[in-house]
Amino acid sequence: MPPASVARLPVYLRVLDDLAASGVRGASSAELADLAGVGPAQLRKDLSHLGSHGTRGVGYDVVRLRDLVGAALGVGERSALAIVGVGNLGRALARSAGFASRGFVVSALLDADPAVVGTVVGGVAVDDVADLGRVVAARGVSIAVVATPAAAAQGVCDAVVAAGVREILSFAPCALQVPPGVVLRSVDLASELQILAFHARARAARAARPATGATGPGRGGVPGP
Amino acid sequence: MPPASVARLPVYLRVLDDLAASGVRGASSAELADLAGVGPAQLRKDLSHLGSHGTRGVGYDVVRLRDLVGAALGVGERSALAIVGVGNLGRALARSAGFASRGFVVSALLDADPAVVGTVVGGVAVDDVADLGRVVAARGVSIAVVATPAAAAQGVCDAVVAAGVREILSFAPCALQVPPGVVLRSVDLASELQILAFHARARAARAARPATGATGPGRGGVPGP
DNA sequence: CTATGTGAAGCAGTTCACAGCT
DNA sequence: AGCTGTGAACTGCTTCACATAG
């Protein structure tokens, strides 16, 4: 399955969950695509990677499709998370309600600061990052969230990989190296803002020099990543 | 400039900043690309969109290039941010140190909860979201960060657009509609975890049925978005 | 000789358009 | 008739390979 399609499955799942909760039984690709913010053809192709589960001439069974997409994403298998780095962001993630509702359980919090180790955040005690291997093994952690400063991120990353974790989500503002077979996703909040700032600057430049080719302002918003 | 190239500029900027801080004067595309986690040809092509600023046979002047990329991203023009939604995530963002160091100033915090309005977070007082238009105009906000629950996000989004904001970063777990000309970027933390869960599931399935074609595990980590 | 800048080739993802099923 | 599932066309990003400049 193409990575781009995988990245859209969570969006479809949310749309399907909402519809199912509203009691809607069936929906066409056009309706679903509209709610998901993509094109109907793209939604159909994405779903086709999971097999043929629509009914021609009718559409999709919302509940059936939700269960299918949910199964592909491992919903219902309650993944154990370890959050490494209990700073502002780590704390917010630990307390975030959105995770539990999607099948993720914050099972471990780790930090290097002795002042933080031993405190309880969101009902979970903070352990010393030195015990990372033991904690990860004991609690069956399958996904690690790296929320440390950049300087510590690569070391933490190596440690969680050594502990057997194969999926990592990093918020550290730096490029991380992982061995083959480990899946790493990075989210950098400052970079997101800088990308927006680039567009703000481009718009300002455009406004200062109003006419170059077309007269009107460039059309179309920029869609998500 | 292609959106994919724009999205990498912040990475290059960080690498260049680090090198400049370390006193490094010059660097080749290969060295920079290595630090940035991309290929050398890609880095050269990305930079070429900003003009020819390297020296053939030598490489790039680190400080000069940093200033160039920084200028493209509007560093030094201190963008004013408004964070709408002062929950766990909004609070963490408001207190985050990484923004100020990159030229972003949290100039406004807004929330709908009367218990939160009037409190001070990270040195900034929380205003009522009903005053959004006034606050945005008075403080020259250029970028809005939406950190509200999904149900409130579209309304907030419409309000900030009506207030004249043209760049929005959303953390709400839903698709948002913006008019043409407004740049929207969305980051959904739960989706990121579900994408990782998908890979964890795929790996588990692979392990259960060890041989299909090649024997070894699939190579290569999955790079960032 | 070294390393950039860039057309050309290659590849992945998206969109189109229609065959096929209900 | 209506809508899915999918090969085919298309678009845009990445990688290659080399002419070019120092």
Side-chain angles (χ1 to χ4, degrees), chain A residues 10 14 71 77 166-167 173 181-182 184-185 188 192 194 201 203 221-222, chain B residues 10 14 71 77 166-167 173 181-182 184-185 188 192 194 201 203 221-222:
Chain A
R14 182 161 34 241
E77 293 175 26
R166 288 292 169 271
E167 337 288 334
V182 174
L184 168 70
R185 293 188 65 87
D188 181 357
E192 294 295 327
Q194 287 189 317
R201 233 188 109 68
R203 170 176 297 115
V222 171
Chain B
R14 183 162 33 240
E77 293 175 25
R166 289 291 169 270
E167 338 288 332
V182 174
L184 168 70
R185 292 186 66 86
D188 181 357
E192 294 295 327
Q194 288 189 316
R201 234 188 107 68
R203 170 176 297 113
V222 171

PDB file of all heavy atoms in Angstrom, chain A residues 10 14 71 77 166-167 173 181-182 184-185 188 192 194 201 203 221-222, chain B residues 10 14 71 77 166-167 173 181-182 184-185 188 192 194 201 203 221-222:
ATOM      1  N   PRO A  10      -6.347   7.379   8.448  1.00  0.00           N
ATOM      2  CA  PRO A  10      -6.900   7.921   9.698  1.00  0.00           C
ATOM      3  C   PRO A  10      -7.976   8.972   9.454  1.00  0.00           C
ATOM      4  O   PRO A  10      -8.942   9.059  10.231  1.00  0.00           O
ATOM      5  CB  PRO A  10      -5.677   8.543  10.384  1.00  0.00           C
ATOM      6  CG  PRO A  10      -4.516   7.784   9.839  1.00  0.00           C
ATOM      7  CD  PRO A  10      -4.881   7.484   8.413  1.00  0.00           C
ATOM      8  N   ARG A  14     -11.882   8.634  10.799  1.00  0.00           N
ATOM      9  CA  ARG A  14     -12.594   9.613  11.620  1.00  0.00           C
ATOM     10  C   ARG A  14     -13.938   9.966  10.991  1.00  0.00           C
ATOM     11  O   ARG A  14     -14.962  10.026  11.667  1.00  0.00           O
ATOM     12  CB  ARG A  14     -11.761  10.877  11.801  1.00  0.00           C
ATOM     13  CG  ARG A  14     -12.456  11.877  12.673  1.00  0.00           C
ATOM     14  CD  ARG A  14     -11.493  12.905  13.221  1.00  0.00           C
ATOM     15  NE  ARG A  14     -10.448  13.200  12.268  1.00  0.00           N
ATOM     16  CZ  ARG A  14      -9.175  13.014  12.468  1.00  0.00           C
ATOM     17  NH1 ARG A  14      -8.759  12.526  13.609  1.00  0.00           N
ATOM     18  NH2 ARG A  14      -8.286  13.318  11.552  1.00  0.00           N
ATOM     19  N   ALA A  71      -9.568  -1.884  11.443  1.00  0.00           N
ATOM     20  CA  ALA A  71      -8.755  -3.095  11.559  1.00  0.00           C
ATOM     21  C   ALA A  71      -7.388  -2.888  10.914  1.00  0.00           C
ATOM     22  O   ALA A  71      -6.352  -3.289  11.449  1.00  0.00           O
ATOM     23  CB  ALA A  71      -9.474  -4.282  10.927  1.00  0.00           C
ATOM     24  N   GLU A  77      -6.521  -2.749  19.295  1.00  0.00           N
ATOM     25  CA  GLU A  77      -5.389  -3.524  19.798  1.00  0.00           C
ATOM     26  C   GLU A  77      -4.576  -2.713  20.783  1.00  0.00           C
ATOM     27  O   GLU A  77      -3.413  -2.987  21.042  1.00  0.00           O
ATOM     28  CB  GLU A  77      -4.510  -4.003  18.638  1.00  0.00           C
ATOM     29  CG  GLU A  77      -5.235  -5.020  17.779  1.00  0.00           C
ATOM     30  CD  GLU A  77      -4.437  -5.413  16.550  1.00  0.00           C
ATOM     31  OE1 GLU A  77      -3.203  -5.304  16.587  1.00  0.00           O
ATOM     32  OE2 GLU A  77      -5.060  -5.829  15.555  1.00  0.00           O
ATOM     33  N   ARG A 166       9.932  -0.316  17.289  1.00  0.00           N
ATOM     34  CA  ARG A 166      10.131  -0.228  15.835  1.00  0.00           C
ATOM     35  C   ARG A 166       9.354   0.919  15.190  1.00  0.00           C
ATOM     36  O   ARG A 166       9.445   1.143  13.989  1.00  0.00           O
ATOM     37  CB  ARG A 166       9.715  -1.562  15.179  1.00  0.00           C
ATOM     38  CG  ARG A 166      10.686  -2.701  15.459  1.00  0.00           C
ATOM     39  CD  ARG A 166      12.020  -2.468  14.770  1.00  0.00           C
ATOM     40  NE  ARG A 166      13.078  -3.379  15.200  1.00  0.00           N
ATOM     41  CZ  ARG A 166      13.894  -3.140  16.216  1.00  0.00           C
ATOM     42  NH1 ARG A 166      13.782  -2.032  16.931  1.00  0.00           N
ATOM     43  NH2 ARG A 166      14.836  -3.997  16.541  1.00  0.00           N
ATOM     44  N   GLU A 167       8.546   1.627  15.980  1.00  0.00           N
ATOM     45  CA  GLU A 167       7.810   2.783  15.437  1.00  0.00           C
ATOM     46  C   GLU A 167       8.048   3.968  16.361  1.00  0.00           C
ATOM     47  O   GLU A 167       7.823   3.884  17.568  1.00  0.00           O
ATOM     48  CB  GLU A 167       6.295   2.529  15.348  1.00  0.00           C
ATOM     49  CG  GLU A 167       5.849   1.072  15.295  1.00  0.00           C
ATOM     50  CD  GLU A 167       6.143   0.383  13.993  1.00  0.00           C
ATOM     51  OE1 GLU A 167       6.231   1.070  12.962  1.00  0.00           O
ATOM     52  OE2 GLU A 167       6.316  -0.857  13.997  1.00  0.00           O
ATOM     53  N   PRO A 173      13.320  18.957  16.823  1.00  0.00           N
ATOM     54  CA  PRO A 173      13.607  19.717  15.609  1.00  0.00           C
ATOM     55  C   PRO A 173      14.958  19.352  15.016  1.00  0.00           C
ATOM     56  O   PRO A 173      15.856  20.174  14.963  1.00  0.00           O
ATOM     57  CB  PRO A 173      13.594  21.163  16.108  1.00  0.00           C
ATOM     58  CG  PRO A 173      14.018  21.069  17.523  1.00  0.00           C
ATOM     59  CD  PRO A 173      13.557  19.725  18.034  1.00  0.00           C
ATOM     60  N   GLY A 181      14.064  -0.777   8.678  1.00  0.00           N
ATOM     61  CA  GLY A 181      13.021  -1.553   9.328  1.00  0.00           C
ATOM     62  C   GLY A 181      12.322  -0.793  10.432  1.00  0.00           C
ATOM     63  O   GLY A 181      11.232  -1.158  10.845  1.00  0.00           O
ATOM     64  N   VAL A 182      12.941   0.273  10.912  1.00  0.00           N
ATOM     65  CA  VAL A 182      12.295   1.117  11.922  1.00  0.00           C
ATOM     66  C   VAL A 182      11.564   2.250  11.207  1.00  0.00           C
ATOM     67  O   VAL A 182      12.110   2.874  10.307  1.00  0.00           O
ATOM     68  CB  VAL A 182      13.326   1.685  12.919  1.00  0.00           C
ATOM     69  CG1 VAL A 182      12.666   2.670  13.872  1.00  0.00           C
ATOM     70  CG2 VAL A 182      14.008   0.558  13.680  1.00  0.00           C
ATOM     71  N   LEU A 184      10.035   5.851  11.246  1.00  0.00           N
ATOM     72  CA  LEU A 184      10.140   7.118  11.970  1.00  0.00           C
ATOM     73  C   LEU A 184       9.280   8.167  11.295  1.00  0.00           C
ATOM     74  O   LEU A 184       9.345   8.333  10.080  1.00  0.00           O
ATOM     75  CB  LEU A 184      11.599   7.592  11.974  1.00  0.00           C
ATOM     76  CG  LEU A 184      11.841   9.033  12.430  1.00  0.00           C
ATOM     77  CD1 LEU A 184      11.581   9.185  13.923  1.00  0.00           C
ATOM     78  CD2 LEU A 184      13.260   9.474  12.092  1.00  0.00           C
ATOM     79  N   ARG A 185       8.475   8.852  12.071  1.00  0.00           N
ATOM     80  CA  ARG A 185       7.769  10.022  11.552  1.00  0.00           C
ATOM     81  C   ARG A 185       8.151  11.222  12.396  1.00  0.00           C
ATOM     82  O   ARG A 185       8.285  11.115  13.608  1.00  0.00           O
ATOM     83  CB  ARG A 185       6.247   9.814  11.577  1.00  0.00           C
ATOM     84  CG  ARG A 185       5.807   8.735  10.586  1.00  0.00           C
ATOM     85  CD  ARG A 185       4.302   8.667  10.482  1.00  0.00           C
ATOM     86  NE  ARG A 185       3.722   9.869   9.927  1.00  0.00           N
ATOM     87  CZ  ARG A 185       3.557  10.087   8.618  1.00  0.00           C
ATOM     88  NH1 ARG A 185       3.967   9.201   7.745  1.00  0.00           N
ATOM     89  NH2 ARG A 185       3.006  11.200   8.206  1.00  0.00           N
ATOM     90  N   ASP A 188       7.626  18.698  13.180  1.00  0.00           N
ATOM     91  CA  ASP A 188       8.366  19.831  13.743  1.00  0.00           C
ATOM     92  C   ASP A 188       7.488  21.073  13.692  1.00  0.00           C
ATOM     93  O   ASP A 188       7.215  21.623  12.630  1.00  0.00           O
ATOM     94  CB  ASP A 188       9.663  20.035  12.976  1.00  0.00           C
ATOM     95  CG  ASP A 188      10.457  21.196  13.560  1.00  0.00           C
ATOM     96  OD1 ASP A 188       9.961  21.840  14.496  1.00  0.00           O
ATOM     97  OD2 ASP A 188      11.567  21.450  13.075  1.00  0.00           O
ATOM     98  N   GLU A 192       6.654  23.994  10.704  1.00  0.00           N
ATOM     99  CA  GLU A 192       5.318  24.263  10.164  1.00  0.00           C
ATOM    100  C   GLU A 192       5.052  25.769  10.139  1.00  0.00           C
ATOM    101  O   GLU A 192       4.525  26.301   9.166  1.00  0.00           O
ATOM    102  CB  GLU A 192       4.255  23.562  11.014  1.00  0.00           C
ATOM    103  CG  GLU A 192       4.305  22.045  10.963  1.00  0.00           C
ATOM    104  CD  GLU A 192       3.998  21.506   9.574  1.00  0.00           C
ATOM    105  OE1 GLU A 192       3.199  22.117   8.852  1.00  0.00           O
ATOM    106  OE2 GLU A 192       4.583  20.471   9.206  1.00  0.00           O
ATOM    107  N   GLN A 194       7.277  28.113  10.057  1.00  0.00           N
ATOM    108  CA  GLN A 194       8.155  28.769   9.079  1.00  0.00           C
ATOM    109  C   GLN A 194       7.641  28.595   7.665  1.00  0.00           C
ATOM    110  O   GLN A 194       7.805  29.480   6.822  1.00  0.00           O
ATOM    111  CB  GLN A 194       9.577  28.231   9.206  1.00  0.00           C
ATOM    112  CG  GLN A 194      10.250  28.744  10.462  1.00  0.00           C
ATOM    113  CD  GLN A 194      11.707  28.408  10.513  1.00  0.00           C
ATOM    114  OE1 GLN A 194      12.102  27.294  10.196  1.00  0.00           O
ATOM    115  NE2 GLN A 194      12.513  29.371  10.926  1.00  0.00           N
ATOM    116  N   ARG A 201       5.282  35.852   3.605  1.00  0.00           N
ATOM    117  CA  ARG A 201       6.272  36.705   2.941  1.00  0.00           C
ATOM    118  C   ARG A 201       6.011  36.801   1.448  1.00  0.00           C
ATOM    119  O   ARG A 201       6.071  37.880   0.850  1.00  0.00           O
ATOM    120  CB  ARG A 201       7.644  36.101   3.152  1.00  0.00           C
ATOM    121  CG  ARG A 201       8.653  37.055   3.714  1.00  0.00           C
ATOM    122  CD  ARG A 201      10.012  36.418   3.701  1.00  0.00           C
ATOM    123  NE  ARG A 201      10.833  37.045   2.687  1.00  0.00           N
ATOM    124  CZ  ARG A 201      11.258  38.293   2.777  1.00  0.00           C
ATOM    125  NH1 ARG A 201      10.943  39.027   3.818  1.00  0.00           N
ATOM    126  NH2 ARG A 201      11.988  38.804   1.816  1.00  0.00           N
ATOM    127  N   ARG A 203       3.242  36.419  -0.067  1.00  0.00           N
ATOM    128  CA  ARG A 203       2.036  37.217  -0.287  1.00  0.00           C
ATOM    129  C   ARG A 203       2.355  38.707  -0.158  1.00  0.00           C
ATOM    130  O   ARG A 203       1.896  39.509  -0.966  1.00  0.00           O
ATOM    131  CB  ARG A 203       0.954  36.831   0.723  1.00  0.00           C
ATOM    132  CG  ARG A 203      -0.228  37.775   0.702  1.00  0.00           C
ATOM    133  CD  ARG A 203      -1.304  37.306   1.632  1.00  0.00           C
ATOM    134  NE  ARG A 203      -1.822  36.010   1.207  1.00  0.00           N
ATOM    135  CZ  ARG A 203      -1.712  34.896   1.872  1.00  0.00           C
ATOM    136  NH1 ARG A 203      -1.099  34.890   3.032  1.00  0.00           N
ATOM    137  NH2 ARG A 203      -2.214  33.782   1.388  1.00  0.00           N
ATOM    138  N   GLY A 221      -6.118  27.469  -1.759  1.00  0.00           N
ATOM    139  CA  GLY A 221      -5.357  27.306  -0.524  1.00  0.00           C
ATOM    140  C   GLY A 221      -4.378  26.160  -0.709  1.00  0.00           C
ATOM    141  O   GLY A 221      -4.528  25.356  -1.629  1.00  0.00           O
ATOM    142  N   VAL A 222      -3.416  26.089   0.154  1.00  0.00           N
ATOM    143  CA  VAL A 222      -2.469  24.980   0.114  1.00  0.00           C
ATOM    144  C   VAL A 222      -2.968  23.882   1.038  1.00  0.00           C
ATOM    145  O   VAL A 222      -3.176  24.138   2.219  1.00  0.00           O
ATOM    146  CB  VAL A 222      -1.065  25.436   0.547  1.00  0.00           C
ATOM    147  CG1 VAL A 222      -0.159  24.242   0.711  1.00  0.00           C
ATOM    148  CG2 VAL A 222      -0.496  26.396  -0.483  1.00  0.00           C
TER     149      VAL A 222
ATOM    150  N   PRO B  10      13.015  24.992   6.106  1.00  0.00           N
ATOM    151  CA  PRO B  10      13.287  25.107   7.546  1.00  0.00           C
ATOM    152  C   PRO B  10      14.335  24.120   8.026  1.00  0.00           C
ATOM    153  O   PRO B  10      15.116  24.432   8.936  1.00  0.00           O
ATOM    154  CB  PRO B  10      11.918  24.810   8.170  1.00  0.00           C
ATOM    155  CG  PRO B  10      10.928  25.195   7.132  1.00  0.00           C
ATOM    156  CD  PRO B  10      11.574  24.828   5.824  1.00  0.00           C
ATOM    157  N   ARG B  14      17.924  25.217   9.824  1.00  0.00           N
ATOM    158  CA  ARG B  14      18.414  24.747  11.121  1.00  0.00           C
ATOM    159  C   ARG B  14      19.836  24.212  11.004  1.00  0.00           C
ATOM    160  O   ARG B  14      20.703  24.509  11.822  1.00  0.00           O
ATOM    161  CB  ARG B  14      17.498  23.667  11.683  1.00  0.00           C
ATOM    162  CG  ARG B  14      17.940  23.221  13.045  1.00  0.00           C
ATOM    163  CD  ARG B  14      16.848  22.496  13.791  1.00  0.00           C
ATOM    164  NE  ARG B  14      16.008  21.749  12.887  1.00  0.00           N
ATOM    165  CZ  ARG B  14      14.715  21.930  12.741  1.00  0.00           C
ATOM    166  NH1 ARG B  14      14.100  22.831  13.441  1.00  0.00           N
ATOM    167  NH2 ARG B  14      14.034  21.190  11.897  1.00  0.00           N
ATOM    168  N   ALA B  71      16.031  34.737   5.129  1.00  0.00           N
ATOM    169  CA  ALA B  71      15.264  35.829   4.528  1.00  0.00           C
ATOM    170  C   ALA B  71      14.049  35.280   3.781  1.00  0.00           C
ATOM    171  O   ALA B  71      12.945  35.834   3.871  1.00  0.00           O
ATOM    172  CB  ALA B  71      16.149  36.634   3.583  1.00  0.00           C
ATOM    173  N   GLU B  77      11.567  38.926  10.973  1.00  0.00           N
ATOM    174  CA  GLU B  77      10.398  39.798  10.838  1.00  0.00           C
ATOM    175  C   GLU B  77       9.356  39.495  11.906  1.00  0.00           C
ATOM    176  O   GLU B  77       8.187  39.800  11.756  1.00  0.00           O
ATOM    177  CB  GLU B  77       9.781  39.660   9.444  1.00  0.00           C
ATOM    178  CG  GLU B  77      10.701  40.185   8.364  1.00  0.00           C
ATOM    179  CD  GLU B  77      10.151  39.936   6.977  1.00  0.00           C
ATOM    180  OE1 GLU B  77       8.932  39.814   6.839  1.00  0.00           O
ATOM    181  OE2 GLU B  77      10.962  39.847   6.039  1.00  0.00           O
ATOM    182  N   ARG B 166      -4.287  35.108   7.166  1.00  0.00           N
ATOM    183  CA  ARG B 166      -4.195  34.355   5.915  1.00  0.00           C
ATOM    184  C   ARG B 166      -3.357  33.082   6.026  1.00  0.00           C
ATOM    185  O   ARG B 166      -3.225  32.338   5.057  1.00  0.00           O
ATOM    186  CB  ARG B 166      -3.606  35.248   4.818  1.00  0.00           C
ATOM    187  CG  ARG B 166      -4.554  36.356   4.346  1.00  0.00           C
ATOM    188  CD  ARG B 166      -5.730  35.757   3.579  1.00  0.00           C
ATOM    189  NE  ARG B 166      -6.789  36.727   3.343  1.00  0.00           N
ATOM    190  CZ  ARG B 166      -7.812  36.943   4.166  1.00  0.00           C
ATOM    191  NH1 ARG B 166      -7.917  36.254   5.289  1.00  0.00           N
ATOM    192  NH2 ARG B 166      -8.739  37.834   3.859  1.00  0.00           N
ATOM    193  N   GLU B 167      -2.749  32.835   7.201  1.00  0.00           N
ATOM    194  CA  GLU B 167      -1.981  31.596   7.398  1.00  0.00           C
ATOM    195  C   GLU B 167      -2.452  30.953   8.690  1.00  0.00           C
ATOM    196  O   GLU B 167      -2.470  31.583   9.746  1.00  0.00           O
ATOM    197  CB  GLU B 167      -0.465  31.847   7.493  1.00  0.00           C
ATOM    198  CG  GLU B 167       0.040  33.137   6.871  1.00  0.00           C
ATOM    199  CD  GLU B 167       0.024  33.147   5.368  1.00  0.00           C
ATOM    200  OE1 GLU B 167       0.139  32.061   4.784  1.00  0.00           O
ATOM    201  OE2 GLU B 167      -0.097  34.238   4.780  1.00  0.00           O
ATOM    202  N   PRO B 173      -8.447  17.599  14.910  1.00  0.00           N
ATOM    203  CA  PRO B 173      -8.539  16.347  14.167  1.00  0.00           C
ATOM    204  C   PRO B 173      -9.730  16.336  13.220  1.00  0.00           C
ATOM    205  O   PRO B 173     -10.639  15.533  13.381  1.00  0.00           O
ATOM    206  CB  PRO B 173      -8.691  15.307  15.272  1.00  0.00           C
ATOM    207  CG  PRO B 173      -9.380  16.042  16.368  1.00  0.00           C
ATOM    208  CD  PRO B 173      -8.963  17.482  16.271  1.00  0.00           C
ATOM    209  N   GLY B 181      -6.663  31.404  -1.322  1.00  0.00           N
ATOM    210  CA  GLY B 181      -5.734  32.440  -0.909  1.00  0.00           C
ATOM    211  C   GLY B 181      -5.294  32.300   0.537  1.00  0.00           C
ATOM    212  O   GLY B 181      -4.294  32.879   0.944  1.00  0.00           O
ATOM    213  N   VAL B 182      -6.039  31.528   1.321  1.00  0.00           N
ATOM    214  CA  VAL B 182      -5.636  31.274   2.707  1.00  0.00           C
ATOM    215  C   VAL B 182      -4.829  29.978   2.748  1.00  0.00           C
ATOM    216  O   VAL B 182      -5.225  28.980   2.143  1.00  0.00           O
ATOM    217  CB  VAL B 182      -6.861  31.172   3.632  1.00  0.00           C
ATOM    218  CG1 VAL B 182      -6.439  30.765   5.040  1.00  0.00           C
ATOM    219  CG2 VAL B 182      -7.617  32.492   3.658  1.00  0.00           C
ATOM    220  N   LEU B 184      -3.515  26.856   4.712  1.00  0.00           N
ATOM    221  CA  LEU B 184      -3.821  26.053   5.900  1.00  0.00           C
ATOM    222  C   LEU B 184      -2.897  24.852   5.957  1.00  0.00           C
ATOM    223  O   LEU B 184      -2.735  24.138   4.963  1.00  0.00           O
ATOM    224  CB  LEU B 184      -5.273  25.570   5.836  1.00  0.00           C
ATOM    225  CG  LEU B 184      -5.668  24.486   6.839  1.00  0.00           C
ATOM    226  CD1 LEU B 184      -5.699  25.052   8.252  1.00  0.00           C
ATOM    227  CD2 LEU B 184      -7.029  23.893   6.481  1.00  0.00           C
ATOM    228  N   ARG B 185      -2.299  24.632   7.101  1.00  0.00           N
ATOM    229  CA  ARG B 185      -1.557  23.387   7.320  1.00  0.00           C
ATOM    230  C   ARG B 185      -2.158  22.692   8.525  1.00  0.00           C
ATOM    231  O   ARG B 185      -2.515  23.339   9.510  1.00  0.00           O
ATOM    232  CB  ARG B 185      -0.060  23.656   7.524  1.00  0.00           C
ATOM    233  CG  ARG B 185       0.613  24.179   6.255  1.00  0.00           C
ATOM    234  CD  ARG B 185       2.105  24.297   6.424  1.00  0.00           C
ATOM    235  NE  ARG B 185       2.744  23.015   6.594  1.00  0.00           N
ATOM    236  CZ  ARG B 185       3.139  22.219   5.596  1.00  0.00           C
ATOM    237  NH1 ARG B 185       2.954  22.573   4.344  1.00  0.00           N
ATOM    238  NH2 ARG B 185       3.715  21.075   5.853  1.00  0.00           N
ATOM    239  N   ASP B 188      -2.143  16.435  12.743  1.00  0.00           N
ATOM    240  CA  ASP B 188      -3.022  15.652  13.611  1.00  0.00           C
ATOM    241  C   ASP B 188      -2.206  14.560  14.299  1.00  0.00           C
ATOM    242  O   ASP B 188      -1.762  13.600  13.678  1.00  0.00           O
ATOM    243  CB  ASP B 188      -4.157  15.053  12.797  1.00  0.00           C
ATOM    244  CG  ASP B 188      -5.111  14.258  13.675  1.00  0.00           C
ATOM    245  OD1 ASP B 188      -4.832  14.139  14.885  1.00  0.00           O
ATOM    246  OD2 ASP B 188      -6.108  13.763  13.155  1.00  0.00           O
ATOM    247  N   GLU B 192      -0.960  10.655  13.215  1.00  0.00           N
ATOM    248  CA  GLU B 192       0.441  10.233  13.117  1.00  0.00           C
ATOM    249  C   GLU B 192       0.642   8.901  13.831  1.00  0.00           C
ATOM    250  O   GLU B 192       1.317   8.001  13.329  1.00  0.00           O
ATOM    251  CB  GLU B 192       1.357  11.290  13.742  1.00  0.00           C
ATOM    252  CG  GLU B 192       1.382  12.622  12.982  1.00  0.00           C
ATOM    253  CD  GLU B 192       1.982  12.471  11.598  1.00  0.00           C
ATOM    254  OE1 GLU B 192       2.884  11.636  11.419  1.00  0.00           O
ATOM    255  OE2 GLU B 192       1.531  13.185  10.673  1.00  0.00           O
ATOM    256  N   GLN B 194      -1.650   6.672  14.398  1.00  0.00           N
ATOM    257  CA  GLN B 194      -2.348   5.596  13.679  1.00  0.00           C
ATOM    258  C   GLN B 194      -1.563   5.136  12.467  1.00  0.00           C
ATOM    259  O   GLN B 194      -1.598   3.958  12.104  1.00  0.00           O
ATOM    260  CB  GLN B 194      -3.737   6.067  13.269  1.00  0.00           C
ATOM    261  CG  GLN B 194      -4.665   6.162  14.469  1.00  0.00           C
ATOM    262  CD  GLN B 194      -6.092   6.409  14.085  1.00  0.00           C
ATOM    263  OE1 GLN B 194      -6.377   7.236  13.225  1.00  0.00           O
ATOM    264  NE2 GLN B 194      -7.005   5.710  14.714  1.00  0.00           N
ATOM    265  N   ARG B 201       1.210  -3.063  12.699  1.00  0.00           N
ATOM    266  CA  ARG B 201       0.331  -4.166  12.315  1.00  0.00           C
ATOM    267  C   ARG B 201       0.862  -4.916  11.112  1.00  0.00           C
ATOM    268  O   ARG B 201       0.863  -6.145  11.078  1.00  0.00           O
ATOM    269  CB  ARG B 201      -1.037  -3.589  11.958  1.00  0.00           C
ATOM    270  CG  ARG B 201      -2.183  -4.209  12.710  1.00  0.00           C
ATOM    271  CD  ARG B 201      -3.486  -3.718  12.149  1.00  0.00           C
ATOM    272  NE  ARG B 201      -4.115  -4.787  11.402  1.00  0.00           N
ATOM    273  CZ  ARG B 201      -4.603  -5.888  11.963  1.00  0.00           C
ATOM    274  NH1 ARG B 201      -4.534  -6.045  13.273  1.00  0.00           N
ATOM    275  NH2 ARG B 201      -5.162  -6.813  11.229  1.00  0.00           N
ATOM    276  N   ARG B 203       3.880  -5.140  10.178  1.00  0.00           N
ATOM    277  CA  ARG B 203       5.071  -5.897  10.575  1.00  0.00           C
ATOM    278  C   ARG B 203       4.667  -7.172  11.303  1.00  0.00           C
ATOM    279  O   ARG B 203       5.225  -8.238  11.051  1.00  0.00           O
ATOM    280  CB  ARG B 203       5.959  -5.038  11.481  1.00  0.00           C
ATOM    281  CG  ARG B 203       7.080  -5.835  12.114  1.00  0.00           C
ATOM    282  CD  ARG B 203       7.996  -4.957  12.932  1.00  0.00           C
ATOM    283  NE  ARG B 203       8.650  -3.995  12.085  1.00  0.00           N
ATOM    284  CZ  ARG B 203       8.458  -2.690  12.127  1.00  0.00           C
ATOM    285  NH1 ARG B 203       7.607  -2.194  13.007  1.00  0.00           N
ATOM    286  NH2 ARG B 203       9.088  -1.889  11.318  1.00  0.00           N
ATOM    287  N   GLY B 221      13.770   3.030   6.570  1.00  0.00           N
ATOM    288  CA  GLY B 221      12.772   3.665   7.418  1.00  0.00           C
ATOM    289  C   GLY B 221      11.891   4.540   6.549  1.00  0.00           C
ATOM    290  O   GLY B 221      12.238   4.843   5.418  1.00  0.00           O
ATOM    291  N   VAL B 222      10.766   4.918   7.060  1.00  0.00           N
ATOM    292  CA  VAL B 222       9.891   5.827   6.338  1.00  0.00           C
ATOM    293  C   VAL B 222      10.237   7.262   6.744  1.00  0.00           C
ATOM    294  O   VAL B 222      10.176   7.586   7.919  1.00  0.00           O
ATOM    295  CB  VAL B 222       8.409   5.524   6.653  1.00  0.00           C
ATOM    296  CG1 VAL B 222       7.518   6.604   6.084  1.00  0.00           C
ATOM    297  CG2 VAL B 222       8.037   4.180   6.078  1.00  0.00           C
TER     298      VAL B 222
END
